[in-house]
Amino acid sequence: MNKIELTPITEYQLKQCELFSKYSVYSSLDEYEKRMQFNKNKIIEDIKNGKIAEFMVYNYLTNAFKNPTTPDLNIYDKYNKSYDADIILSNANIHVKSHKVNIHYPPSWLFQKKDPLVTNKDDKDFLALVVLKEKFP
């Protein structure tokens, strides 16, 4: 496993993440409730942090001239969500998982039991496990 310092996001990207999390939360509440998570503001923050991590990986890959796809900002209803990669390169599917550092919990990542990344990983599938600082932008 390689540890790298990721490229910060822009103010515009941060605004995109904030808007995405605010408007997409309603299509995700059912899944969070299955995990006994009911605090809508915390869920919005988690969604925002996940999208921030995607943009950080995207910026890093763009600066490395890898030509990645842009993080998806479409909002899907709960029946059209997928386990597709967050960022795609010509030879790799990047699945981004994030964890925001805090004093109470060490970094950890949650995977769904039905996620093909867990049950049927392809050779082109890669994980980008992103640890976000406690205070960023």
Side-chain angles (χ1 to χ4, degrees):
M1 182 176 345
N2 296 333
K3 183 177 178 181
I4 58 172
E5 188 75 24
L6 292 176
T7 307
I9 65 172
T10 66
E11 286 295 321
Y12 179 71
Q13 288 170 332
L14 177 60
K15 190 60 156 171
Q16 288 178 299
C17 296
E18 290 169 346
L19 290 171
F20 176 80
S21 63
K22 178 180 174 183
Y23 291 107
S24 69
V25 67
Y26 299 102
S27 66
S28 301
L29 287 176
D30 288 354
E31 282 302 313
Y32 279 88
E33 286 177 2
K34 289 177 186 175
R35 294 185 246 157
M36 304 304 288
Q37 296 179 17
F38 304 101
N39 182 334
K40 188 174 91 172
N41 291 329
K42 168 80 165 72
I43 295 167
I44 290 171
E45 185 72 14
D46 289 347
I47 293 170
K48 180 180 90 173
N49 290 339
K51 200 54 72 174
I52 287 170
E54 288 180 34
F55 272 108
M56 291 175 77
V57 172
Y58 167 80
N59 290 348
Y60 174 84
L61 293 170
T62 298
N63 289 339
F65 304 103
K66 299 293 186 189
N67 198 24
T69 58
T70 307
D72 188 359
L73 292 169
N74 291 311
I75 298 172
Y76 301 96
D77 64 36
K78 65 182 176 181
Y79 302 107
N80 290 315
K81 293 183 183 273
S82 74
Y83 294 105
D84 293 346
D86 299 299
I87 297 172
I88 299 171
L89 302 171
S90 62
N91 61 346
N93 302 319
I94 312 296
H95 301 265
V96 180
K97 302 290 183 187
S98 66
H99 175 88
K100 188 171 182 181
V101 171
N102 66 49
I103 60 173
H104 303 291
Y105 304 103
S108 65
W109 292 270
L110 179 67
F111 294 87
Q112 301 295 322
K113 286 191 274 186
K114 297 179 184 176
D115 188 336
L117 191 58
V118 174
T119 61
N120 193 23
K121 183 184 169 303
D122 185 282
D123 288 343
K124 289 178 68 171
D125 287 324
F126 294 89
L127 278 172
L129 302 174
V130 179
V131 178
L132 300 170
K133 294 178 182 175
E134 192 167 8
K135 294 190 187 253
F136 65 99

